[in-house]
Amino acid sequence: MSFRLRVFTLVLLVAVAATSATAWLTLRQAAGQLRESAAADRQSIAAITERLRAYGAGHGTWDGVAATVRDLTEETGQRIRIGTDRQGQIADSDTLLGRDPRPGGTSPALLVDPRPEMELPPTFDPGSMRKVTASLIRVYEAGATYAACLTRVGHRVTAIPGTYAIPLFQDGGKAPGGPPGSAPCPRSDTSASRPADVAAAGACRGPGAAETIACLRRVFTERTAAVAPQPLTVRLGAVDDAGQTLAVGPAVGVAAGVTAAALACALLLSRAVLKPVRALTAASRGLGEGDLGRRVPASGRDEIAELGRSFNRMAGSLQDSEERQRRLVGDIAHELRTPLANLRGYLEALRDGVLSADAELLDSLHEEVLLQQRIVDDLQDLALAEAGALTYHRRTLDARELVETCRTAHSARAAAAGVTLDVVGAGPGTVRLHGDPDRLRQALGNLVGNAVRHTARGGGVRLELAERDEMVRIAVSDTGSGIPAADLPRLFDRFWRADAARGRATGGSGLGLSIARQIVADHHGAVEVASEVGVGSVFTVVLPAPRGGTGSGVRDQHGTAAP
């Protein structure tokens, strides 16, 4: 079975199982949540209407009800709009919470009537009931007017139950955040009933007590309508609120859509995976057949793209290695051809008797053989170092002694060339390093030898030892001819010389810098170079100071670390 078909089948099974289980759980949980939500909505509606009714009954006005609406919205999550026939819309929770008002929902409006209803006993004398009703009208009008005034000036209103269920209002003191300097609210005189109220109540004469009480309640409501808070219309919800119905059809449709999307994703995934895999297969097959120039397109940041980039890096490394190998073979052949031809010519001339074997000729031939042996030894050292097989005998050493030893070893050659060789910054203390002293002397000696060879008579070469940022830096600077900036990238290549004719006027095998860089790299360091034509060059060996040593620059005068 192909990879694409396996991916397709697996994703199909997973999608069907997942969507089926999800749909079943969703339907089951949603049905229960709908029942709970309906009960919670009924409780919320009851709480909202009761709080609003209590506010209107306790304040005698709807002024300031917006804060209560905002609190109810935050507690219940309902969108609430309230208004009256006389005032129109009073408050909208969307506006109060800084939202754009949404279109209202389809739920029917609720009516909240905060006006009190007299509770007269049926056994009460009808004449007395008419007098009490006129008196209660006056009491409630005065109380509602007083409560509304207290609300407007920022005072708390305390409503206490009164006779016949008509509330009495008292000043509860200034509310927090109320306006400063509010004037007290006056109370109206309620000792005498108004004639109009008495006349309206006196018109209630029914055949029985129940009819009379009903008429008196209606008169009370009509006569107090001017001061009592109007019945409040409450609208809940908005058109974008979640409904409380659950349809099975959409769930099935969504499940089918998810399955189709999963299959489409499986096809796209298999295509996206198989295309670069096929390209990698073809490129690796070509690479195995010797086509080292094969590469694969690699774009993006996923694992497949990273695999392609890794393959390209591997192919590039193999190609570079093959190129370096061919170049090395050519360089070795070039380096050995001329001196071996000279040796062969001289030996044939000696054999044929054309030349006599005098001391001068023998010394010249011996010097040529030593040069070829040095080239072969350098090539062996470089090959071992690059293969990680070069032997190192590491120990803690003194960088100051390393620099001094190098200066002593090359002082005779420098003197013979008319070049001064100085050491700067070594000091009498200890600068600790961890490494192979012989190999480090070899690397540093190659740099000093190059500097002496490329410095004209009368010039100078300086070795400078310094510590900075937990690193030991040994700089070899000269006053030679310098190196052009274009040649610096090739400076550490095997057999490379700035002299295009590859002459030997300055000596050297062309491997010293390559060997020095590899030895320093094996000691976890680096060789830095800076050069200016006509001024000179500076080669700096940067090595890490051992932890716990004197890398901070604190030394005693006996070559040991200060405590």
Side-chain angles (χ1 to χ4, degrees):
M1 185 182 294
S2 67
F3 175 78
R4 174 174 293 176
L5 185 57
R6 282 184 290 177
V7 170
F8 184 85
T9 304
L10 178 61
V11 172
L12 176 60
L13 292 176
V14 172
V16 170
T19 52
S20 300
T22 302
W24 180 76
L25 287 175
T26 301
L27 290 171
R28 182 178 179 182
Q29 293 179 358
Q33 291 174 355
L34 284 177
R35 290 192 295 269
E36 295 175 359
S37 177
D41 285 346
R42 288 193 294 271
Q43 294 177 358
S44 297
I45 292 172
I48 291 170
T49 55
E50 177 58 28
R51 284 272 297 275
L52 291 174
R53 190 204 65 77
Y55 183 92
H59 290 78
T61 180
W62 294 117
D63 292 344
V65 75
T68 301
V69 171
R70 182 173 59 249
D71 294 341
L72 288 171
T73 296
E74 292 174 350
E75 292 171 8
T76 64
Q78 293 275 4
R79 190 269 181 95
I80 305 173
R81 291 179 298 153
I82 61 173
T84 64
D85 294 338
R86 183 188 302 171
Q87 295 175 265
Q89 181 168 296
I90 297 175
D92 186 344
S93 60
D94 278 355
T95 304
L96 295 174
L97 295 176
R99 304 170 183 162
D100 292 333
R102 295 169 290 174
T106 57
S107 301
L110 305 174
L111 189 65
V112 175
D113 191 351
R115 295 175 295 185
E117 185 173 341
M118 291 190 308
E119 296 180 1
L120 299 174
T123 59
F124 209 88
D125 179 66
S128 298
M129 285 191 293
R130 288 189 284 271
K131 293 180 181 178
V132 169
T133 300
S135 176
L136 291 177
I137 291 172
R138 183 61 177 155
V139 169
Y140 180 73
E141 283 185 342
T145 303
Y146 180 64
C149 176
L150 291 176
T151 300
R152 285 191 290 271
V153 300
H155 282 230
R156 288 188 290 262
V157 180
T158 303
I160 59 177
T163 307
Y164 307 113
I166 304 302
L168 302 177
F169 300 96
Q170 295 179 356
D171 189 351
K174 183 178 179 182
S182 301
C185 292
R187 281 184 176 274
S188 300
D189 183 15
T190 60
S191 59
S193 301
R194 292 178 301 190
D197 297 334
V198 174
C204 290
R205 299 180 183 276
E211 289 79 3
T212 303
I213 291 174
C215 178
L216 292 175
R217 286 175 176 172
R218 184 171 59 255
V219 168
F220 178 86
T221 301
E222 294 173 352
R223 299 299 296 177
T224 59
V227 296
Q230 295 296 304
L232 193 66
T233 301
V234 182
R235 291 180 173 84
L236 302 178
V239 293
D240 57 351
D241 285 342
Q244 296 185 357
T245 59
L246 181 64
V248 178
V252 174
V254 169
V258 170
T259 303
L263 295 179
C265 291
L267 292 175
L268 293 176
L269 176 63
S270 62
R271 180 180 180 183
V273 171
L274 290 178
K275 183 177 180 181
V277 167
R278 290 195 188 99
L280 278 170
T281 302
S284 59
R285 185 181 297 113
L287 196 66
E289 294 172 355
D291 185 6
L292 300 181
R294 292 292 293 269
R295 300 292 186 272
V296 296
S299 60
R301 297 184 178 180
D302 57 6
E303 290 79 0
I304 299 296
E306 183 60 31
L307 177 61
R309 285 189 285 270
S310 298
F311 177 85
N312 290 340
R313 287 193 294 268
M314 179 191 70
S317 178
L318 289 175
Q319 189 174 24
D320 293 342
S321 178
E322 182 73 13
E323 181 63 28
R324 285 195 301 269
Q325 184 177 356
R326 286 197 295 266
R327 197 163 54 243
L328 175 61
V329 172
D331 290 339
I332 293 174
H334 182 89
E335 291 293 327
L336 296 180
R337 182 183 295 112
T338 300
L340 288 177
N342 290 338
L343 287 173
R344 177 183 176 183
Y346 279 113
L347 290 175
E348 289 177 351
L350 288 173
R351 185 190 62 185
D352 295 339
V354 177
L355 294 177
S356 58
D358 55 9
E360 182 180 358
L361 178 58
L362 291 177
D363 289 341
S364 175
L365 294 177
H366 183 260
E367 182 180 352
E368 195 68 36
V369 170
L370 291 178
L371 176 60
Q372 303 317 304
Q373 182 179 358
R374 187 174 66 189
I375 293 176
V376 173
D377 291 342
D378 287 348
L379 280 171
Q380 184 180 15
D381 287 345
L382 185 58
L384 290 174
E386 290 182 344
L390 192 62
T391 303
Y392 291 97
H393 302 284
R394 303 177 189 269
R395 63 178 178 82
T396 300
L397 58 98
D398 185 359
R400 178 186 59 80
E401 294 180 359
L402 178 67
V403 173
E404 288 290 346
T405 301
C406 187
R407 182 188 66 81
T408 302
H410 290 81
S411 58
R413 179 186 298 178
V419 176
T420 60
L421 181 58
D422 300 321
V423 174
V424 177
T430 299
V431 181
R432 294 190 182 277
L433 283 176
H434 185 74
D436 187 330
D438 294 332
R439 292 299 181 184
L440 289 177
R441 276 196 297 269
Q442 180 184 1
L444 194 58
N446 288 348
L447 297 179
V448 174
N450 275 354
V452 171
R453 282 195 300 269
H454 291 84
T455 301
R457 183 174 295 275
V461 175
R462 184 176 64 181
L463 284 85
E464 184 174 355
L465 176 63
E467 291 179 274
R468 185 167 61 251
D469 299 330
E470 298 184 355
M471 304 295 288
V472 177
R473 306 175 69 88
I474 305 174
V476 180
S477 58
D478 62 60
T479 59
S481 57
I483 305 169
D487 293 336
L488 291 179
R490 301 186 57 195
L491 196 60
F492 293 95
D493 292 350
R494 301 183 186 95
F495 299 116
W496 183 85
R497 298 188 187 91
D499 182 7
R502 306 176 72 91
R504 295 187 179 277
T506 58
S509 64
L511 297 171
L513 291 179
S514 299
I515 295 173
R517 182 179 63 173
Q518 189 62 48
I519 291 175
V520 172
D522 290 345
H523 284 77
H524 309 291
V527 179
E528 301 173 353
V529 59
S531 184
E532 185 177 351
V533 177
V535 177
S537 304
V538 180
F539 288 81
T540 304
V541 175
V542 182
L543 294 168
R547 295 183 179 180
T550 56
S552 61
V554 180
R555 314 179 189 88
D556 60 22
Q557 297 300 317
H558 303 287
T560 59

